[in-house]
Amino acid sequence: MGHSEEYQKLEGKIFTKSFFILLSIVLLGFYFVGVRYVKGIGAVSNMSDGYPWGIWITYDVATGTAIACGGYAVAILVYIRNRMQYHPMIRSAILTSMFGYGLAGFSVMVDLGRPWNAYNFFIPSKWQANSAMFEVALCVMAYSTVLILEFLPAILTSIEKSKWDRMNAIRNWLHPKIAPDKKTMEDKLEMVRLGAAWLNPRLNKVLIFFIVLGITLPTMHQSSLGSLLLIASTKLHPLWHTGFLPLLFLLNCVFIGYSIAILESIISSYSFKRPYEIEELSGLAGLIPFVTVIWLTVVIGDLSYRGQIHAALKGDFYSGWFMTEFLLVACGSLILFVKKCRRSARWLFISASMIVLGGALYRFNVYLIGFNPGQGWKYFPSFAEVMITVGIVALEILGYKVFVALFPVLPNMDLHGAHKKKGHAKKHKGGAAEKLPQTEAHAH
Amino acid sequence: MKKTSRRDFLKLAGATGAGLLACGTGNALANEGLQVNNDELGMLYDATKCVGCKACMSACKRVNSDYGSLSYEKAKFDEDGLWDAPSDLSGSTRTLIKLFKESEKRWSYVKYSCMHCQKPSCVSVCPVSAMTKEKVSGIVDYNKNTCIGCRYCQIACPYNIPKFQWEKAVPQIVKCDLCKATNLREKGITACAETCPAGAIKFGKRKDLLEEAHQRLKDAPDKYVAHVYGEHEGGGTNHLYLASMPFNKLGLPEIKPEAPAEFSEKIQHTIYKGFIAPVALYSTLCFIAVKNMKKHQGHDDDHKKGGK
């Protein structure tokens, strides 16, 4: 599609102070992962036979993949709604999704009691199509692969243009003991470069079919994440146990996805000291209320249909959590109805945070807070359990920071700045790439 | 222009949503109906006959310890690990006798173990078929060589029966399998039923057990709560209970006659029936996306021509 000029690498050092802080958190988390494999899950977590799923499933998988739905939500917007104006946002959204899903997969392997048997997912005779988890597992595995394919152009472009400075530096450092001599290595690197140059245009031609697959798969497994709890009819509180769980989870991940794309853009603009992408963000923000209103309507309609409105207003433990979740999403959306707020980075940040928090709380409510296996069972995550999750999140941020420096992911500022000026003058459907002169990415 | 595209978006969202809704509600009416098989094997536990000797518990561990990786449990009060005193079912205990005391004078024993449901939730949710229900005997069995340890069976089971070995590096799920590979194969009866000195556990086919249970209710209506627990609960179980106290007091949950797995499978099946919906979604999206991209590339080309 030839949009590589839309993106640029982030200039600056990789090994900053925050890099090492994040790294130490990651290492602490991985120490506990090691303990878990030697001493058993019980040694690090507070999970029990009553609460067999703790925060690893609730946060890392059920909530984490929703937060990683930025790639999904933005892909719908860009490729299905045809507003290429948002195209500059897609790479960073896909990168976050890639890390989100990849690390959700990783934490599943930490959570599984017998991970060495996981190959059974690929043996048709073992398939159990009744299981929502079977559907989730296959879709998530497929989607992770698709995400890597979707991100591949960024890597390939970067290999094509690479001068291999770092590689050569490492080689010079290793030489003469281990590393091959300069000529052989240059030949080999040239082969890699040619391979990338050969693959890139071919991949670009079929990429759209993977992108669409990348929209279909999350639609399937995000709804199935809701289906997972359908069976717990005696354990999940009636405020949340409903036949609409699949639909609610699907809508939930869409509005979380758009909100997180906004947050991510604002946060990275702020921390990398780049201008805010207000034009794109306000357009994105205008969509969120439409999805949240459907979600809120289904929630209320379903509660009144099942005669549970009184449970929501009861004022007890469960209704408190329900009201918090509901009001966070509702108030966050209300802010976004105001046009002025949609054009302010501050209000966008506040409302998007509220919606992400509320949407994430909904998933916590379904998986943990509203889940009651019977008297005598209690669950609160242990320190080690939390640290494993925090370590995984830190790894995600770390990976994002390294990747935006290595590969062209963030929107090109030259283009963006120009677009911003024009964008104020006139809104047009085609967006930036269509009307503006194509500038070369200047960062290398 | 903005308005039109918003409408398009709503249309799309509405269409997918409505599709899901139609599937969810439409087929909920078409009940496939659960066929109860009364020829399956099961047990009848009569709490009024149980003397709480726990011989069934030790027989279970003796017979199944090697096969089911059941080690003896360390009692909580016992640092030297000499005593086995389980307080609940666990990764090393498949069956358990508890004493429920309503008052100083009124109390009842109760036995916990797998209920061997007619339509087991654990079998319905297991993603890799590690939990299975045998066709003829109706035994709900577990295969540790297939299990991935996801513990979804624990989430799903309304009776909280499957237990996980939390403290082991190589853990497995533990639950009663009616001594399928041990006592049942050798002697044709479960170890607990064979051992029980008070005749509180009766082993046999579900229909015989039900008949016996109703006969006992008829013979001594004052002695029992007039209900055979497990006859209809959750679509019916093969482990049946008689007791003199309300079953929910004995830790047996109140469960509607519809099996939880029926409800969830109905929704899951209608969404994914014949894989039609996902394929339709994929092809529709492909159509729209390719069209959009061509349009966009057209714009690009126009721009290039115009620009030079």
Side-chain angles (χ1 to χ4, degrees):
Chain A
M1 273 166 289
H3 282 293
S4 48
E5 303 86 353
E6 278 179 44
Y7 310 100
Q8 67 175 183
K9 294 183 196 176
L10 184 77
E11 284 175 282
K13 280 196 294 183
I14 293 177
F15 302 104
T16 54
K17 199 168 150 195
S18 60
F19 176 90
F20 289 104
I21 295 173
L22 285 169
L23 190 65
S24 52
I25 299 173
V26 172
L27 290 177
L28 182 61
F30 275 65
Y31 163 75
F32 287 120
V33 171
V35 175
R36 170 253 174 275
Y37 279 111
V38 176
K39 291 190 168 177
I41 299 175
V44 290
S45 95
N46 277 349
M47 283 187 269
S48 61
D49 288 321
Y51 284 95
W53 287 354
I55 52 165
W56 294 343
I57 294 290
T58 308
Y59 179 76
D60 302 6
V61 180
T63 313
T65 57
I67 289 174
C69 267
Y72 167 59
V74 176
I76 295 180
L77 188 64
V78 171
Y79 296 100
I80 303 304
R81 280 202 66 215
N82 188 28
R83 307 197 88 195
M84 288 294 185
Q85 163 185 9
Y86 301 107
H87 200 261
M89 300 187 70
I90 198 150
R91 267 197 190 163
S92 61
I94 282 177
L95 180 62
T96 332
S97 294
M98 198 172 88
F99 279 112
Y101 272 88
L103 288 165
F106 173 79
S107 58
V108 165
M109 291 320 251
V110 175
D111 182 83
L112 286 185
R114 303 172 69 84
W116 55 88
N117 275 342
Y119 70 90
N120 282 316
F121 278 113
F122 302 105
I123 299 179
S125 66
K126 298 286 181 192
W127 286 358
Q128 219 283 87
N130 289 333
S131 172
M133 182 183 276
F134 169 74
E135 203 278 319
V136 171
L138 277 199
C139 272
V140 167
M141 282 191 258
Y143 184 50
S144 305
T145 318
V146 167
L147 279 170
I148 294 172
L149 286 173
E150 285 182 66
F151 190 72
L152 209 52
I155 300 180
L156 290 176
T157 313
S158 157
I159 292 179
E160 267 184 72
K161 291 180 180 166
S162 174
K163 298 205 173 57
W164 306 107
D165 294 337
R166 240 180 232 119
M167 261 318 226
N168 279 323
I170 295 172
R171 192 202 70 90
N172 292 337
W173 182 62
L174 289 172
H175 198 75
K177 280 181 189 153
I178 319 169
D181 66 79
K182 199 165 183 184
K183 181 80 181 81
T184 347
M185 198 165 111
E186 265 173 7
D187 286 351
K188 279 188 182 147
L189 289 178
E190 190 56 31
M191 293 250 296
V192 174
R193 198 204 316 272
L194 285 175
W198 177 85
L199 187 60
N200 206 0
R202 281 165 181 77
L203 180 65
N204 267 329
K205 258 183 203 153
V206 290
L207 194 62
I208 188 73
F209 295 102
F210 288 111
I211 288 170
V212 176
L213 199 56
I215 297 173
T216 313
L217 290 170
T219 311
M220 291 161 71
H221 70 244
Q222 284 296 336
S223 62
S224 290
L225 277 174
S227 309
L228 278 179
L229 269 290
L230 282 174
I231 193 132
S233 48
T234 56
K235 297 181 182 177
L236 187 57
H237 193 276
L239 274 175
W240 294 284
H241 187 269
T242 152
F244 287 105
L245 270 171
L247 178 66
L248 289 173
F249 265 63
L250 181 60
L251 293 169
N252 175 283
C253 88
V254 175
F255 67 71
I256 291 185
Y258 285 130
S259 308
I260 208 76
I262 291 177
L263 283 186
E264 192 191 303
S265 163
I266 292 180
I267 292 171
S268 62
S269 291
Y270 178 80
S271 60
F272 298 146
K273 298 190 177 58
R274 296 158 56 95
Y276 294 115
E277 297 153 8
I278 287 292
E279 194 59 36
E280 283 88 353
L281 296 187
S282 63
L284 211 57
L287 291 173
I288 296 173
F290 288 92
V291 189
T292 48
V293 163
I294 302 175
W295 187 79
L296 295 167
T297 315
V298 175
V299 168
I300 298 176
D302 170 61
L303 280 181
S304 59
Y305 174 73
R306 289 185 296 118
Q308 294 290 344
I309 290 283
H310 69 94
L313 303 170
K314 217 173 177 181
D316 62 352
F317 175 78
Y318 292 109
S319 108
W321 283 108
F322 174 81
M323 291 310 281
T324 317
E325 148 212 321
F326 191 88
L327 289 177
L328 274 172
V329 175
C331 297
S333 317
L334 268 182
I335 297 175
L336 290 182
F337 271 116
V338 184
K339 202 179 171 195
K340 210 172 158 192
C341 294
R342 290 207 301 268
R343 304 204 62 87
S344 135
R346 180 188 305 265
W347 281 107
L348 278 174
F349 184 83
I350 293 172
S351 56
S353 310
M354 284 170 77
I355 292 170
V356 168
L357 274 179
L361 181 59
Y362 170 69
R363 293 188 174 221
F364 266 79
N365 281 338
V366 171
Y367 273 77
L368 272 184
I369 297 167
F371 186 84
N372 182 7
Q375 274 189 330
W377 295 108
K378 278 199 178 66
Y379 171 79
F380 194 83
S382 70
F383 174 72
E385 208 176 343
V386 174
M387 279 322 292
I388 290 179
T389 291
V390 171
I392 286 171
V393 174
L395 185 61
E396 237 172 291
I397 302 171
L398 196 68
Y400 184 85
K401 281 169 77 90
V402 171
F403 267 57
V404 293
L406 288 181
F407 305 110
V409 172
L410 295 174
N412 192 331
M413 266 197 289
D414 289 352
L415 262 181
H416 179 84
H419 165 63
K420 211 177 159 192
K421 275 173 228 149
K422 271 213 161 175
H424 277 294
K426 193 191 167 198
K427 260 189 202 164
H428 46 74
K429 202 180 176 185
E434 167 196 335
K435 298 228 167 148
L436 298 167
Q438 309 251 330
T439 34
E440 277 295 314
H442 71 128
H444 285 295
Chain B
M1 189 173 282
K2 198 157 192 193
K3 243 181 190 168
T4 5
S5 34
R6 256 183 201 159
R7 201 180 301 146
D8 285 346
F9 176 75
L10 284 180
K11 249 190 246 164
L12 183 72
T16 24
L20 280 172
L21 284 183
C23 292
T25 46
N27 261 41
L29 302 171
N31 195 341
E32 288 151 29
L34 178 66
Q35 295 290 318
V36 175
N37 180 359
N38 279 328
D39 284 326
E40 291 180 353
L41 295 177
M43 292 194 284
L44 171 65
Y45 170 76
D46 190 332
T48 63
K49 293 190 175 199
C50 179
V51 295
C53 69
K54 303 192 178 186
C56 52
M57 286 170 61
S58 65
C60 178
K61 285 200 176 180
R62 191 179 64 241
V63 165
N64 294 311
S65 61
D66 295 333
Y67 180 76
S69 312
L70 298 186
S71 55
Y72 283 85
E73 257 184 270
K74 232 186 186 181
K76 279 194 184 113
F77 54 81
D78 166 34
E79 284 175 6
D80 302 324
L82 302 174
W83 301 89
D84 184 62
S87 58
D88 206 341
L89 292 182
S90 73
S92 26
T93 303
R94 291 178 175 202
T95 189
L96 182 80
I97 298 288
K98 276 192 182 182
L99 173 66
F100 168 74
K101 274 202 316 193
E102 190 180 62
S103 67
E104 289 302 318
K105 291 195 176 151
R106 237 174 94 75
W107 42 261
S108 170
Y109 287 104
V110 58
K111 178 177 183 281
Y112 293 128
S113 71
C114 176
M115 301 294 286
H116 294 280
C117 305
Q118 287 279 333
K119 174 82 188 161
S121 297
C122 56
V123 172
S124 167
V125 299
C126 181
V128 291
S129 317
M131 285 281 181
T132 47
K133 186 174 170 71
E134 285 196 352
K135 277 223 173 76
V136 180
S137 64
I139 294 172
V140 179
D141 193 17
Y142 166 76
N143 180 359
K144 70 173 171 187
N145 296 322
T146 313
C147 173
I148 58 169
C150 69
R151 310 186 292 279
Y152 194 8
C153 50
Q154 295 189 289
I155 294 276
C157 178
Y159 309 97
N160 277 321
I161 295 298
K163 300 292 170 182
F164 184 71
Q165 295 174 331
W166 295 96
E167 70 291 348
K168 289 192 180 176
V170 180
Q172 69 171 74
I173 294 284
V174 168
K175 70 176 243 347
C176 160
D177 60 3
L178 287 186
C179 296
K180 181 191 148 204
T182 54
N183 222 57
L184 184 64
R185 181 184 287 167
E186 286 155 23
K187 302 180 183 169
I189 187 169
T190 57
C192 53
E194 185 194 15
T195 311
C196 182
I201 309 169
K202 195 175 154 83
F203 177 81
K205 284 192 175 174
R206 189 174 195 261
K207 60 179 173 202
D208 303 333
L209 298 174
L210 269 177
E211 201 179 318
E212 168 90 28
H214 284 292
Q215 191 59 45
R216 285 188 205 174
L217 285 182
K218 215 165 141 193
D219 292 347
D222 303 337
K223 200 170 151 191
Y224 294 105
V225 173
H227 178 64
V228 182
Y229 188 88
E231 187 175 9
H232 299 298
E233 272 77 8
T237 63
N238 293 347
H239 196 172
L240 304 163
Y241 281 79
L242 284 175
S244 59
M245 282 184 197
F247 292 99
N248 60 344
K249 286 190 175 174
L250 300 179
L252 295 165
E254 278 175 52
I255 293 173
K256 286 178 200 152
E258 194 198 27
E262 290 274 293
F263 173 71
S264 61
E265 283 184 13
K266 240 180 273 164
I267 296 178
Q268 186 77 349
H269 283 183
T270 35
I271 296 177
Y272 289 103
K273 195 163 198 176
F275 227 60
I276 295 168
V279 171
L281 178 65
Y282 181 71
S283 26
T284 317
L285 290 177
C286 268
F287 177 73
I288 301 172
V290 169
K291 208 177 84 185
N292 285 345
M293 222 179 54
K294 280 201 179 130
K295 207 155 83 187
H296 179 66
Q297 266 169 356
H299 281 300
D300 262 0
D301 293 344
D302 286 350
H303 154 72
K304 271 174 198 161
K305 272 178 217 156
K308 293 220 166 139

